[in-house]
Structure formats: structure tokens, C-alpha cells
Amino acid sequence: MRKFPDPLAGIAFNAGTRIKLSEENLCGLPIRPEDLATGEALFIASAEGYRIIPLKPDLKKLYIEVTTHCNFACITCIRNSWRDELSHMSRETFESIKKALPELTNLECVHFGGFGEPFSHPGIFDMLSSVKEMGLKAEIITNGSLLNDAVADKLIDLKVDIVFVSLDAPDKDEYDRIRQGADFSSVLDNIRGLVERKNKAKSIYPELGIEFVAMKNNYRKLPQLIKMCRDFNVRKFIVTNLLPYHQSIQDQILYDMDDTVIPFGDDSPLTMMMAQLPYMKLRTDRYCKFVEDKAMCINHKGYVSPCYALMHSYNCYVYGRQKEMIPYYLGNINEKHLVDIWKDAEYVNFRLAVKNFRFPSCSDCKDLEGCSMADNNEMDCWGNSPSCAECLWSRRLIVCP
């Protein structure tokens, strides 16, 4: 696996120095009393002046990829281009995560997802139970095929907060075309069974969410799907655009639609009210949900990444151009404490750069044609490594729970 150049090498002036916080060493620099209580900070000097960033264990949301195995072969799946191993997260790796959770005093939610089917992991209910016993919110996303009555009962008993089901069509023909190896009727029966067993148990948990991947072939069917799901009392309906991982579906993207018009005729009011729609056009503003939500991701091997896009090695197609994605790991939970990874200078600086979006915009750059730097995310023309210059998540074209 290729490794990024060390982003701290040769630029210690900008990387910052870890310091102990006290009234004496602040030299008159302003800082809030509650930040002073953290005890340490990153002191950064730059051409613009000085900055003190208190180092707090303020992670709020943790995404855990418990497996990369899946029983479906979807045409939209990252497995169509990646080179990573298929395996379950080991018990030891999850135990390392579990031990670190009490140190994250601001942690609110643990989301079980990533690029695999979580219910295929033999220890998934022990994992969910561990999270709920700590008083944390637990979320999980599934393709719905393993969401049988026994699984539904366990989710209800554990009071798992929300279950997202990936559902890309309201009819068998379109659904089975996208999710090969799937059975639309069975998935629908499982969703219906979960709702019925919740009602029987008089439980509000788990709430139900639906995630829909929008493509040219299925987008017009979104209102029909929403109407169908109203009977399931869906609480969250997330619509994301397609990120093609194979050239065979790159012509299915919708990114250049006019998203200022009403797209579904008479069905538009209900659709707009029920669904969280993404942008359908490249726009100026950029926003990283992972950084703004103070989230991080841990893959099935225990490696920590700042977001989904940087968890694995794969190829994708951005506006018809093939782009190689190299993973960006900030440490491994089996080798380093999670709090220490979160507060590490490299990670702090990365979050700061993304929050301020000090990256070029490759997708609409006039010099894009012939620029080899846009072929991968290793580095951009501003010297960022890794580069988020062409992240479609930040343009709110691609979204996730």
C-alpha cells in the first residue's frame, strides 16, 4: 500500500508545538476559561500570526466498520474497484475501541456501517449492547436482507436508536437490477416485520431510516418509494447521489441537474418534505460533515481515518475521469489510544485545514485537463497531502447518515 508523504516533515513551523496550557505561558493570547481547563494545546505559528488550539477529547460521532463482507453484489458498490481484504473486525480490535470510549467525554453516537453488511458479523449484537450500556446512541445501516424477526427483536430489546436500510427502488425489477443477488420482496417483508414487532412491543426503538442512491434510472421513482415507505413510519429519508466505482455506471450520475426547479411534479411537495435531498449541481460552498460533526471513522482493521472517502484503496469516477483514492490513516486503535489519535497534531491540522477548506477546486478548475495531480488524492497543487480538493461529500453531492 502506498503511503502519503509525512505532512509534518519539513514544515514544523506550521504543524505546531504541543504545549501545556496555563495563564503564565499564554503571553496575553486570548483563550476561554473552559479551554484553559483542558490542560494542553497545539501552538501554531504561521505567516498570519499565532493560534492556540486546545486539545480536547471532543469527538462526538464515531463510525465503525465492523466488516467488509456483504451478501449482495450491488452495481453501485465500492468492491467493484477496491483492492482491500474482505474480513470481519476482530474481537480484540473492538475491545480496544470499547476501552477507549469512556475517555471520549463528548461522544454522543456510534454508527455501525462502512462498506460491509454489519449484520453478517457474528458479534454485532455484543457490539451494539456495549455501546448502549455506555448510554450512547447506536445507529446501524443494513441492506435489509438479514433483518429477520430474531434480529428485529434483538434491536428492539437493545433499544438501538435507528436502523437505516438501503433501498434504491420501489419495485422488484429496478431494485434487483441494482442490488444483484438480492430479493426485493424479502427485504420489504423484513422492514414490514420490524415495524410490526415494534408496534407489538409498543417500542419507539429502533427508528427507521431509508437511504436511497440516486441515479438516472431510478431517480424519478423516488416519490413512489417515499409513498410506499410512509406505511413504515420512516423517520429519516436520506438521498445521496451516485459515486461510480466502475466505468460501466459512470453515465448514471445526475450531478448537473438544475436543482432549483421542482423535479417531481405534483409529488414534489411530499418528496421535498420527507426526503433529505443532496445538491444536484456543483456549487461554490464546501462543507465537511465529518469535520463539522466532530466525527471519525475506524475501518475493519482498526485503522482510523477522518471520513468514509479515505478509509480504503479504490478507484472512482469523478465527472467521467478515473481517480485513484489512496487511504489516509492517522493511526491504529490496536497500537495507539483513540484519544491520542484524535489529539495528534497531524489530525488537528488536517481538521483545521478542512474546516477552512484550504484546498483548490479541481472539478471546475480551468487547468484540469492534462493535470496529473487530479489523477489521485495524494497531493494537490496547493501542497495538501492528502488532498480533499475533489471531494464530492464536501460539495454535498454525496451524503451519508
Side-chain angles (χ1 to χ4, degrees):
M1 183 179 69
R2 290 164 64 185
K3 187 179 185 299
F4 284 106
D6 182 356
L8 304 184
I11 54 169
F13 179 73
N14 287 321
T17 302
R18 201 161 178 154
I19 63 170
K20 293 292 183 183
L21 273 181
S22 67
E23 294 284 1
E24 290 74 25
N25 68 5
L26 286 176
C27 302
L29 292 171
I31 191 167
R32 297 177 301 182
E34 59 267 30
D35 291 337
L36 185 63
T38 62
E40 57 182 354
L42 194 65
F43 181 86
I44 299 176
S46 68
E48 291 78 30
Y50 299 98
R51 183 164 188 168
I52 291 179
I53 303 176
L55 297 177
K56 300 180 286 187
D58 56 352
L59 178 71
K60 288 186 177 180
K61 187 166 186 178
L62 183 63
Y63 291 83
I64 301 179
E65 179 182 67
V66 297
T67 185
T68 49
H69 283 290
C70 187
N71 56 334
F72 284 5
C74 303
I75 64 173
T76 56
C77 186
I78 192 174
R79 286 173 198 74
N80 293 313
S81 72
W82 78 0
R83 300 171 291 280
D84 290 9
E85 176 188 352
L86 298 180
S87 64
H88 292 320
M89 176 177 283
S90 70
R91 180 184 300 229
E92 292 76 19
T93 296
F94 184 76
E95 284 299 315
S96 295
I97 297 172
K98 180 180 173 181
K99 290 177 182 176
L101 297 187
E103 300 175 9
L104 301 167
T105 53
N106 284 27
L107 186 64
E108 298 172 357
C109 177
V110 178
H111 179 96
F112 293 89
F115 298 101
E117 171 49 51
F119 287 125
S120 70
H121 194 294
I124 185 61
F125 294 107
D126 290 334
M127 296 175 179
L128 289 166
S129 178
S130 296
V131 168
K132 291 302 297 182
E133 286 172 0
M134 294 182 188
L136 299 169
K137 182 179 180 181
E139 301 177 349
I140 191 165
I141 188 166
T142 174
N143 61 33
S145 63
L146 304 179
L147 193 59
N148 56 37
D149 288 348
V151 169
D153 286 340
K154 289 180 181 177
L155 295 173
I156 294 167
D157 290 343
L158 289 172
K159 292 183 172 58
V160 170
D161 294 85
I162 187 165
V163 173
F164 289 95
V165 180
S166 297
L167 201 60
D168 298 328
D171 58 81
K172 178 177 174 59
D173 289 345
E174 184 65 24
Y175 180 87
D176 290 354
R177 185 190 66 80
I178 297 169
R179 297 188 172 272
Q180 298 172 6
D183 183 346
F184 176 71
S185 299
S186 176
V187 170
L188 217 58
D189 286 344
N190 286 344
I191 296 173
R192 189 176 291 109
L194 172 63
V195 174
E196 290 173 353
R197 299 180 91 79
K198 274 178 56 182
N199 292 338
K200 184 178 179 180
K202 297 181 180 179
S203 175
I204 62 171
Y205 298 110
E207 291 186 340
L208 180 63
I210 298 293
E211 184 176 52
F212 175 90
V213 179
M215 297 173 276
K216 286 180 180 177
N217 285 348
N218 70 348
Y219 189 53
R220 294 297 171 184
K221 296 184 178 182
L222 178 58
Q224 185 182 342
L225 179 64
I226 287 175
K227 288 178 182 178
M228 185 182 75
C229 289
R230 289 182 73 186
D231 293 337
F232 300 143
N233 196 26
V234 173
R235 293 296 184 184
K236 291 186 178 181
F237 207 113
I238 297 173
V239 179
T240 179
N241 272 295
L242 169 73
L243 177 60
Y245 296 110
H246 192 271
Q247 61 183 359
S248 63
I249 59 169
Q250 61 176 316
D251 63 346
Q252 284 291 310
I253 64 171
L254 296 166
Y255 309 164
D256 287 325
M257 286 181 57
D258 184 354
D259 57 6
T260 64
V261 301
I262 299 175
F264 302 110
D266 292 343
D267 291 323
S268 291
L270 176 63
T271 303
M272 304 293 279
M273 179 179 70
M274 293 288 294
Q276 174 186 319
L277 297 177
Y279 282 6
M280 289 295 181
K281 205 174 192 65
L282 196 70
R283 299 198 177 277
T284 303
D285 57 308
R286 286 189 275 183
Y287 173 94
C288 178
K289 171 181 170 61
F290 293 93
V291 168
E292 296 297 337
D293 286 355
K294 296 189 176 179
M296 72 157 55
C297 302
I298 304 177
N299 78 3
H300 65 303
K301 290 294 186 182
Y303 287 100
V304 172
S305 291
C307 63
Y308 272 170
L310 298 173
M311 287 176 72
H312 294 286
S313 302
Y314 59 94
N315 292 327
C316 60
Y317 289 81
V318 181
Y319 289 97
R321 291 177 295 100
Q322 182 173 316
K323 190 178 190 76
E324 179 188 8
M325 295 298 293
I326 305 164
Y328 179 48
Y329 299 140
L330 293 139
N332 190 296
I333 188 64
N334 295 302
E335 301 167 357
K336 191 173 181 180
H337 289 298
L338 198 57
V339 170
D340 292 337
I341 294 174
W342 179 254
K343 297 196 298 183
D344 187 81
E346 179 179 348
Y347 200 174
V348 172
N349 275 285
F350 177 84
R351 295 197 299 271
L352 182 61
V354 172
K355 191 173 183 66
N356 294 322
F357 250 92
R358 297 169 181 164
F359 296 89
S361 179
C362 296
S363 302
D364 53 358
C365 177
K366 66 181 180 64
D367 298 318
L368 177 61
E369 188 174 349
C371 177
S372 61
M373 281 191 165
D375 292 344
N376 58 51
N377 65 319
E378 189 168 17
M379 183 175 286
D380 59 43
C381 60
W382 291 7
N384 297 295
S385 179
S387 174
C388 300
E390 208 163 23
C391 175
L392 299 186
W393 272 269
S394 74
R395 309 309 280 261
R396 293 188 244 191
L397 296 168
I398 312 296
V399 297
C400 56

